Amino acid sequence: VLGLAAFFVQSRFAPYADPLLLPLAVALNGIGLAMIYRLDLDTSADKQTALLEGTVGKDAADAPSQLMWTFVGIGLFVAAVIIMRDTERTDAPLSFTPKTAQRYTYLIGLGAIILLLLPIVPGIGQTINGARVWISVGGFSVQPGEFAKLMLVVFFAGYLVNRRQALTLIGKKIGPISLPRARDLGPIVLLWIFCLGVLFIQKDLGTALLYFGLFVAMLYIATQRISWVLIGVGLLAAGIFIATLLPFMGHVNQRISIWQDPKPYMDGGCMLESGRVVPVNPDTEIYKQAQAAGSEAPGLTACSNLGGEYSDSAQLMHGLYALGEGGVLGTGLGQGEPWRIPLSFSDFIFDSIGEELGLTGLMALLLIYALIVQRGMKAGLAARDPFLKLFAGGVSFVLALQVFVIVGGVTKLIPLTGLTTPFLSQGGSSLMANWILIAILVRMSHDARKPAPQAIQDEGMTQIVSVR
């Protein structure tokens, strides 16, 4: 019903919009909602037995809450499609469009910084699963970084449009790499360093990687210089190397260590200062000693006694087991045991779907994401305004990169990071931000595809006016 309502609004207010964007987003949202509902049922006999035995804990899958956020997200899509009229004009009446936002480039950049800083403010900031990226307002938890990424796209697009010629034509050439003037690149690099600094403090490297990739990609789109890609790869390598050396960034070393070999961390592992990993799972003697002493977290206590950093790869290992169990065609929806994966409804929902729908279902999901990105890029190519081209390219790329980072992490292609899977994972912040993103692309594609006004045809003979 919500999908049909959104389609009616789109056909009424944006009839020339790309016909694939809305159905693809509804399909992803619906598949995610179905999987969360399946995990929320708790009617599996195997799960009831596992709960009684204490081998798994009761998860926090909440289908009614996800349905509520779906309603809110589609409501924001409807409101955005109605409000955003004439995206290529800055003076459209009763309308706030991406082109209008170009006039407030620096103000929006400041807003993005404020949103990134909110989680570290005492009193409202929350640490969940080791990352301080949430704020609690009125009993609701919100992830402001999901909205900050859209604001950063606006800022990057606005700044790069104004500085495109200077970034492309003016600068020094060092070998095959052309470097722009510091005064042209300085403000955007400072903002990038600031964002990464905040995210290092929040210990959310996935979002830091997302913003970093967005920064490099939009520079490349604006200047069409391959040298920016080389500089970006170099900065990424340098950033990872520096992070591994900082004493307060030990979790970076652990993420890399778990990526290389997750088995020693299964159900609890402790990385010592020497770099050696010591298991502290329930089968070890040191765990049993801490448990006998009455510790609420025996593994963490045992690791603290050894003077190391504690981590657990159970999420990743159970996710990989689920993918192996699903095979090519899957066990069938409702026939698997995805509830054995910690956070199966959010961070690891991709693995949950992979167990029950198999490799075939996962490839279909990835093709849907690829189609959304391709249609977004196509909308950017069709736009006539340089700012809108950059903006559409930026939001499409940030969606593609987010999918790559989270899917690569849960399948052990790259180190695991804490990002949400767009439209699939449980949570309201990501769902609302992504529905707004789809609404923007729908509006831009409508304005780019609508036919030009027809010239007035034969209206009769030309009138002759006498001035006497």
Side-chain angles (χ1 to χ4, degrees), residues 123-305:
I124 62 174
Q126 286 186 318
T127 301
I128 300 178
N129 298 324
R132 193 175 179 86
V133 296
W134 299 84
I135 60 173
S136 180
V137 180
F140 291 96
S141 294
V142 181
Q143 195 171 355
E146 291 289 339
F147 303 97
K149 68 182 180 184
L150 294 179
M151 299 175 72
L152 282 177
V153 171
V154 175
F155 172 77
F156 289 152
Y159 183 83
L160 290 172
V161 164
N162 295 332
R163 297 287 183 175
R164 170 185 281 182
Q165 291 186 349
L167 290 170
T168 305
L169 302 176
I170 304 174
K172 296 181 180 180
K173 194 174 182 74
I174 303 177
I177 300 177
S178 299
L179 298 177
R181 296 178 301 181
R183 66 181 182 181
D184 293 324
L185 190 60
I188 201 167
V189 170
L190 288 176
L191 178 63
W192 169 72
I193 293 175
F194 179 82
C195 292
L196 290 185
V198 172
L199 294 171
F200 271 121
I201 295 174
Q202 296 173 353
K203 296 184 178 181
D204 184 20
L205 296 180
T207 308
L209 178 61
L210 186 69
Y211 291 162
F212 177 82
L214 172 65
F215 170 79
V216 175
M218 294 194 69
L219 273 176
Y220 174 71
I221 294 173
T223 62
Q224 299 181 6
R225 284 186 173 183
I226 194 66
S227 59
W228 285 117
V229 179
L230 300 177
I231 294 173
V233 172
L235 288 175
L236 176 62
I240 294 176
F241 178 72
I242 294 173
T244 57
L245 298 178
L246 297 176
F248 59 90
M249 297 295 292
H251 62 286
V252 176
N253 289 322
Q254 283 190 329
R255 289 287 177 92
I256 296 175
S257 178
I258 291 174
W259 171 55
Q260 293 172 335
D261 185 12
K263 292 182 181 179
Y265 289 95
M266 183 63 177
D267 292 330
C270 185
M271 175 178 277
L272 305 179
E273 293 183 0
S274 62
R276 187 168 64 94
V277 180
V278 178
V280 288
N281 55 60
D283 294 330
T284 60
E285 188 65 29
I286 189 173
Y287 180 97
K288 295 176 182 178
Q289 292 176 0
Q291 189 177 38
S295 173
E296 295 182 359
L300 181 60
T301 302
C303 186
S304 298
N305 295 335

Side-chain angles (χ1 to χ4, degrees), residues 395-410:
V395 294
S396 301
F397 179 82
V398 79
L399 177 65
L401 183 60
Q402 184 168 344
V403 172
F404 170 77
V405 170
I406 184 60
V407 171
V410 299

Side-chain angles (χ1 to χ4, degrees), residues 35 39 319 322-323 338-339 341 343-346 348-358 362:
M35 177 54 66
L39 292 168
L323 292 176
W339 36 266
I341 311 172
L343 298 177
S344 58
F345 53 90
S346 57
F348 282 79
I349 194 170
F350 191 80
D351 288 351
S352 300
I353 295 173
E355 180 178 357
E356 301 201 333
L357 299 185
L362 294 184

